[in-house]
Amino acid sequence: MSNSTERPKYERLADFIRQNQAPIVKEWTEFARTLSPASDRMTKLALEDHIFDLLRFVADDLETAQTPRERFDKSRGDGPKDSPFSQSAAELHAALRLADGFNIDQMISEYRALRASVVKQWVAHHRSLADTDIEDLTRFNEAIDQAVTESVAHYTKTINDSRNLFLGVLGHDLRNPLGAVSMGAQWMERSGTTDAKQAKVVSEIKLAAGRATRILNDLLDLTRSSFGTQIPVTKTENDVAALCQEIADEFRAVNADRKL
């Protein structure tokens, strides 16, 4: 005769996750579908992307031996560097969500929904929780926290790398037109003019082009530093009054009706 209080065949959370992937993923996908407008045109397959891999890694993690120190690190999002999350599912999930137009808040909310879905369905299958269940839930939360950490790190790194690459390309491409403007102003200055107003405009163009070039050089230095190189810093004496005068002259050139 069977015992009415007999535990389900999946006695531990890892077993439950493996044997109930379909309802977990269904509920999670329904939530991801609400993250508009990023998800508006995404297929069911695209929405699910690497959720099955994430669930498999979580289940495997629950069954992996763990020291107190490792548990403490994971609770802070500092899991092992060779974690499967860092090599595959969590990073891929972040990359795909970024490509599909999800912002970082939407991506993190997906993990919250996944956590809630698993816990809700797991608890619903248990009239009471045993000590092992509490341990499993704790480790499950640690695993999800680690996945979130890996996803966020990859998401932000990709964003930063893309921004720095854009700035580098922008700075490089602006060099040529600025160089042409500077050379043209120098040629006009050397050619000379009897019109004092025209000579002043040429001088201002030359100064403005020079300042813009220096700004671009600083931008490129900053971009290079983002990829691991140091920012070159050279201390020199400067005339602050003259610098302010140059800036004021630039403003006067484009705001002739204003008094500065």
Side-chain angles (χ1 to χ4, degrees), residues 164-165 167-168 175 216-232:
N164 292 332
L165 181 61
L167 291 176
R175 279 177 175 271
L216 276 182
N217 289 336
D218 291 341
L219 175 61
L220 291 174
D221 287 340
L222 179 61
T223 303
R224 282 194 294 268
S225 73
S226 299
F227 286 103
T229 58
Q230 296 181 346
I231 298 178

Side-chain angles (χ1 to χ4, degrees), residues 10 13-29 48 50-60 114 117-118 121:
Y10 29 81
L13 181 53
D15 298 323
F16 174 82
I17 290 174
R18 291 194 180 96
Q19 297 181 36
N20 291 270
Q21 288 190 2
I24 292 172
V25 172
K26 180 178 183 297
E27 187 170 321
W28 182 81
T29 304
E48 291 177 358
H50 287 77
I51 182 61
F52 288 101
D53 290 333
L54 282 171
L55 289 174
R56 186 178 70 252
F57 288 137
V58 168
D60 291 343
L114 176 61
S117 176
V118 171
Q121 295 186 43

Side-chain angles (χ1 to χ4, degrees), residues 72-138:
F72 174 75
D73 290 341
K74 284 179 62 181
S75 68
R76 302 173 61 189
D78 298 327
K81 299 305 179 183
D82 58 350
S83 163
F85 289 127
S86 62
Q87 296 177 337
S88 53
E91 288 190 352
L92 285 173
H93 180 73
L96 290 171
R97 285 301 189 251
L98 176 59
D100 288 326
F102 280 61
N103 61 42
I104 195 167
D105 292 336
Q106 290 174 321
M107 185 186 70
I108 292 175
S109 70
E110 287 187 292
Y111 281 106
R112 290 200 300 267
L114 176 61
R115 189 197 308 263
S117 176
V118 171
V119 172
K120 182 183 71 175
Q121 295 186 43
W122 167 242
V123 173
H125 283 79
H126 293 71
R127 295 181 182 274
S128 61
L129 296 178
D131 291 341
T132 54
D133 296 334
I134 301 298
E135 179 184 356
D136 286 350
L137 287 172
T138 300

Side-chain angles (χ1 to χ4, degrees), residues 150-193:
E150 298 293 351
S151 288
V152 169
H154 187 78
Y155 188 103
T156 54
K157 181 179 184 301
T158 303
I159 288 288
N160 290 336
D161 287 349
S162 297
R163 182 188 65 236
N164 292 332
L165 181 61
F166 170 77
L167 291 176
V169 171
L170 176 66
H172 183 273
D173 289 350
L174 284 176
R175 279 177 175 271
N176 288 340
L178 269 178
V181 170
S182 180
M183 290 178 63
Q186 292 178 41
W187 179 83
M188 294 174 68
E189 189 177 51
R190 288 195 301 269
S191 298
T193 177

